[in-house]
Amino acid sequence: MTEVDDYGQQIFLQGMMSRKVLKYSEVNNLLETAMRKDADVQWSKDERQSLLLSIINKVNKAIKPFHLVIKKCVDEDNGTNFFMLASVTKRSRELMAAAFEFKKGELEYLELLATSILEEENKFVSSMKAMNCCSKVEGVRFTLHQADEAVAKFKREKWLKEVYDGKLALGIRFISEMEEWIKGQLGEDVERCLLCQKLVVRGCRCQNCRQLYHKYCGEKLAKLRGGSGAEAKFSCKNCSQPVACEIAVDATVEDRDRTPQSQRGASRRASDEGRVKESRKRVIIEDDSD
Amino acid sequence: MSQAANLSKELLNEYNISNDDLQKMVSDAVTYFLVADQKKSIIRKADLVKACDLTRRDRKLQDPIIKLAALHLNNIFGIEVRDLSKTSTYILVNKLSEINVGEFLNWSDREAAHMGLTFIILALILMNNDRINEEALFDFLRTLGVYDDGTTHIRGGNPQIEEEVLELFDGDLRKFVNETLVSRQHYLKKERVVQNEESEQYFYLWGDRAEAEVKPSMVFKMVCGVFKCEPSMFKEQFDRIRQRENLSEEDFALQDQSDK
């Protein structure tokens, strides 16, 4: 069978709906089931790719009227590809919470966490800070215990991810499903990877001009030029300086509220107004050594 | 899909609404169905209409819109919308449950436990000639090791209930059966039978959702598999189910162990 039929489409769609976020191997298994592939038939890599593409296109065409889409998203840390069924329209909060199967207060808490994460230069927060957010949940009493359970759930369902031994960063599902929300939060501070033009939250930063790139985009480019591994570098598209393929972490910027002075190195390309806006958010006024 | 296309065309002509308008209403209805079904509660027409903002519109639009949504759900998602014969309520039945798609339907431990127990209870009711009284049901659950009402039994020791197992049902089996399975999900139905002035009894039967989703023959086959015996050993139930589903003896051959 080379064409996917309606039944196959239904299988594929239900599988995606149920699993929410799927790895490549899972998607391939789902594809085989949807196509009712015989165990002894071997598909070439090209055949497989082309079938996958055709089934995704067929499904997307069918679900477009319902503001749903199957999209591919890439993990910012390790470059793993995931597929997920996401909504493309702005839904009401009740509908969102229901669609994501969140309990009372969980959506608000997640958004508080995400806001807190996006406020950080490095785009991650300590779990302590995450727990403290639970008191800010409006309208419903959200206990520490509930916060603890919620964070575990968010990690499991890929809304958040753990980085650097206990810190919380935005997970692949959040970045994919809530892209518009993130852009709204960041405003003019939103950064796009110059290599793929898409939103980047955590990535490799050019030390010279502060341009941010996806780690996986940089690695792909570095590989083309012959570099690989930890020493891999690629040329910044903006200023041509070499950029290392590792996610920039400004170690001195950990837990903003505590450090009285942070050395942030070269200034960001953000406008002065943006900078003032940012420092107002922080309690302590930093000394920017340019 | 042409059925949906035809209906859409009709509505556009008859009711003087724009295509965008129609699309939005149908899209909202489909989304609402999918979202509301996650908890497996029954979907009330009134709630659906409110969520899709159909209350402000011509009342006559409601049914066709719901019908269109149902057509889309059927063709695109493989989900059937069943109108329960009673007061305008719906449940969604997955048409794909027939084949082994179970691998991709991700059940959490909790969901698996709920499904497992529900299935067992349905089997119990089926084998007991379609109804069982409350006491017998909870007695059975007690021997199964999931229910403990604290009473000591003369009949010998109760199996110890594991904390973990109890956790999966939020610690309260009675609540799970009565609130979740009966009131919310309609897998079971509870009937009150008044015998005389003094006593009344409650009986549990298969609910609307069970009737729609589960085939008695499948449950029966599972029971025979568990007891490792021929279907004809349970002659009464065998005959009844065979007749009800219009099946022959061969349909019950025990060779297919693929039923999960």
Side-chain angles (χ1 to χ4, degrees):
Chain A
M1 189 199 315
T2 45
E3 263 291 308
V4 59
D5 61 354
D6 285 344
Y7 196 41
Q9 174 192 290
Q10 291 166 8
I11 294 173
F12 195 79
L13 184 51
Q14 283 211 29
M16 301 246 19
M17 269 170 61
S18 173
R19 287 282 182 91
K20 313 279 198 276
V21 181
L22 288 85
K23 291 192 282 236
Y24 235 124
S25 56
E26 291 174 305
V27 168
N28 272 320
N29 285 341
L30 183 57
L31 177 68
E32 285 179 11
T33 306
M35 302 297 288
R36 269 93 81 219
K37 171 177 165 298
D38 280 323
D40 43 350
V41 168
Q42 289 295 333
W43 284 343
S44 71
K45 193 169 173 202
D46 283 337
E47 265 182 309
R48 196 179 279 274
Q49 278 284 77
S50 128
L51 275 170
L52 184 61
L53 205 62
S54 92
I55 205 174
I56 290 181
N57 282 337
K58 186 174 158 114
V59 171
N60 275 341
K61 192 163 170 230
I63 57 179
K64 191 167 177 205
F66 312 110
H67 309 293
L68 293 171
V69 71
I70 293 180
K71 49 162 57 163
K72 190 177 88 163
C73 29
V74 193
D75 184 283
E76 287 188 324
D77 285 280
N78 56 31
T80 314
N81 285 322
F82 288 96
F83 290 82
M84 52 183 280
L85 183 67
S87 133
V88 242
T89 190
K90 208 162 183 265
R91 291 176 172 160
S92 72
R93 296 179 65 75
E94 293 82 34
L95 207 55
M96 257 210 291
F100 300 148
E101 292 181 81
F102 284 162
K103 292 193 214 164
K104 247 196 152 160
E106 282 183 345
L107 179 59
E108 286 73 23
Y109 184 51
L110 179 60
E111 285 179 338
L112 278 167
L113 287 177
T115 307
S116 173
I117 287 171
L118 289 173
E119 280 177 357
E120 297 292 325
E121 168 90 32
N122 290 321
K123 306 288 186 285
F124 60 70
V125 292
S126 64
S127 34
M128 170 102 89
K129 192 159 184 194
M131 289 298 126
N132 288 339
C133 287
C134 75
S135 55
K136 299 194 198 138
V137 176
E138 285 181 2
V140 67
R141 195 171 144 259
F142 205 72
T143 61
L144 268 175
H145 175 67
Q146 283 172 289
D148 205 30
E149 284 194 342
V151 169
K153 175 178 174 168
F154 296 150
K155 280 198 230 169
R156 220 171 33 235
E157 299 186 356
K158 301 197 170 31
W159 294 106
L160 297 177
K161 60 148 76 142
E162 194 177 301
V163 293
Y164 311 126
D165 191 27
K167 309 279 189 279
L168 284 174
L170 295 183
I172 197 165
R173 200 158 164 209
F174 195 95
I175 296 177
S176 223
E177 279 263 20
M178 308 282 273
E179 189 175 326
E180 290 311 310
W181 184 92
I182 294 175
K183 287 181 187 165
Q185 285 292 111
L186 291 174
E188 52 194 37
D189 289 339
V190 77
E191 295 182 89
R192 270 181 217 284
C193 168
L194 275 186
L195 293 173
C196 68
Q197 304 303 327
K198 301 216 178 100
L199 168 76
V200 52
V201 179
R202 292 171 55 246
C204 329
R205 200 180 282 287
C206 173
Q207 292 303 310
N208 187 41
C209 66
R210 309 296 297 161
Q211 175 64 43
L212 195 62
Y213 297 90
H214 288 124
K215 178 162 174 255
Y216 51 84
C217 289
E219 279 173 343
K220 231 191 273 187
L221 191 58
K223 201 168 174 192
L224 276 174
R225 309 289 160 86
S228 68
E231 296 302 310
K233 289 190 198 268
F234 61 95
S235 316
C236 174
K237 217 173 162 188
N238 195 40
C239 68
S240 305
Q241 292 302 301
V243 185
C245 288
E246 47 176 36
I247 297 195
V249 177
D250 198 340
T252 57
V253 178
E254 238 179 87
D255 252 324
R256 301 223 58 122
D257 313 50
R258 296 219 196 118
T259 44
Q261 220 172 35
S262 66
Q263 295 130 336
R264 275 201 261 143
S267 57
R268 293 182 60 189
R269 293 180 88 224
S271 63
D272 283 336
E273 204 194 69
R275 179 162 288 286
V276 170
K277 236 197 278 175
E278 259 210 320
S279 59
R280 275 209 201 113
K281 281 191 216 162
R282 322 266 193 253
V283 175
I284 294 126
I285 298 166
E286 281 116 51
D287 182 77
D288 272 82
S289 41
D290 283 302
Chain B
M1 275 287 266
S2 59
Q3 211 185 350
N6 286 337
L7 183 53
S8 299
K9 237 199 248 170
E10 261 180 52
L11 289 175
L12 287 174
N13 289 335
E14 218 177 298
Y15 290 98
N16 194 24
I17 41 175
S18 71
N19 195 26
D20 282 346
D21 239 353
L22 179 65
Q23 285 284 36
K24 177 149 199 306
M25 288 192 273
V26 174
S27 162
D28 282 347
V30 167
T31 307
Y32 185 81
F33 267 125
L34 288 173
V35 166
D37 185 61
Q38 272 169 135
K39 295 224 191 81
K40 280 197 184 258
S41 347
I42 52 165
I43 298 160
R44 272 172 258 274
K45 188 174 172 183
D47 293 336
L48 171 69
V49 161
K50 197 163 124 201
C52 307
D53 213 21
L54 284 173
T55 44
R56 293 187 291 135
R57 312 281 191 142
D58 194 337
R59 280 200 80 184
K60 287 187 273 182
L61 262 176
Q62 290 174 7
D63 284 331
I65 298 270
I66 294 177
K67 176 142 193 239
L68 256 178
L71 279 170
H72 286 306
L73 279 166
N74 198 356
N75 295 331
I76 298 172
F77 293 85
I79 293 173
E80 191 189 322
V81 177
R82 285 274 179 112
D83 193 343
L84 299 182
S85 49
K86 285 186 286 182
T87 55
S88 318
T89 48
Y90 307 95
I91 55 168
L92 298 191
V93 178
N94 192 343
K95 276 170 36 190
L96 302 183
S97 55
E98 300 278 327
I99 68 164
N100 197 10
V101 192
E103 198 184 322
F104 296 103
L105 300 180
N106 219 21
W107 299 119
S108 64
D109 281 345
R110 220 178 126 88
E111 283 171 318
H114 287 195
M115 281 287 106
L117 189 67
T118 307
F119 207 70
I120 293 172
I121 296 177
L122 290 177
L124 178 75
I125 295 174
L126 182 75
M127 298 307 281
N128 209 54
N129 290 330
D130 297 333
R131 57 203 311 205
I132 191 168
N133 78 29
E134 189 170 18
E135 204 191 310
L137 172 65
F138 284 98
D139 226 27
F140 172 75
L141 294 178
R142 211 179 344 245
T143 36
L144 209 57
V146 292
Y147 178 65
D148 176 20
D149 63 357
T151 58
T152 48
H153 270 262
I154 311 162
R155 249 196 307 198
N158 286 330
Q160 268 288 69
I161 300 182
E162 284 179 32
E163 267 305 315
E164 284 173 0
V165 173
L166 211 53
E167 257 303 301
L168 293 168
F169 298 100
D170 293 327
D172 190 342
L173 249 300
R174 219 171 248 278
K175 192 170 171 196
F176 173 71
V177 171
N178 289 323
E179 285 188 19
T180 305
L181 293 182
V182 176
S183 304
R184 212 177 70 210
Q185 297 182 348
H186 289 234
Y187 272 113
L188 300 178
K189 196 161 43 178
K190 197 171 174 184
E191 258 181 24
R192 187 166 148 255
V193 175
V194 184
Q195 264 143 4
N196 48 51
E197 261 176 31
E198 302 286 306
S199 76
E200 59 175 27
Q201 272 211 317
Y202 287 96
F203 284 87
Y204 288 91
L205 300 83
W206 277 37
D208 289 324
R209 189 185 283 278
E211 299 281 358
E213 282 183 10
V214 191
K215 276 216 201 107
S217 55
M218 199 177 94
V219 177
F220 184 66
K221 276 193 229 179
M222 183 206 78
V223 172
C224 296
V226 167
F227 283 98
K228 291 197 180 46
C229 66
E230 285 297 313
S232 45
M233 300 281 283
F234 292 110
K235 183 141 179 31
E236 206 184 317
Q237 291 87 343
F238 185 42
D239 288 338
R240 204 178 66 243
I241 293 167
R242 247 187 336 139
Q243 206 178 43
R244 224 196 276 169
E245 291 188 30
N246 206 15
L247 297 163
S248 71
E249 286 205 31
E250 290 76 49
D251 293 317
F252 282 83
L254 272 181
Q255 7 100 328
D256 48 323
Q257 289 299 316
S258 57
D259 296 335
K260 283 201 189 134

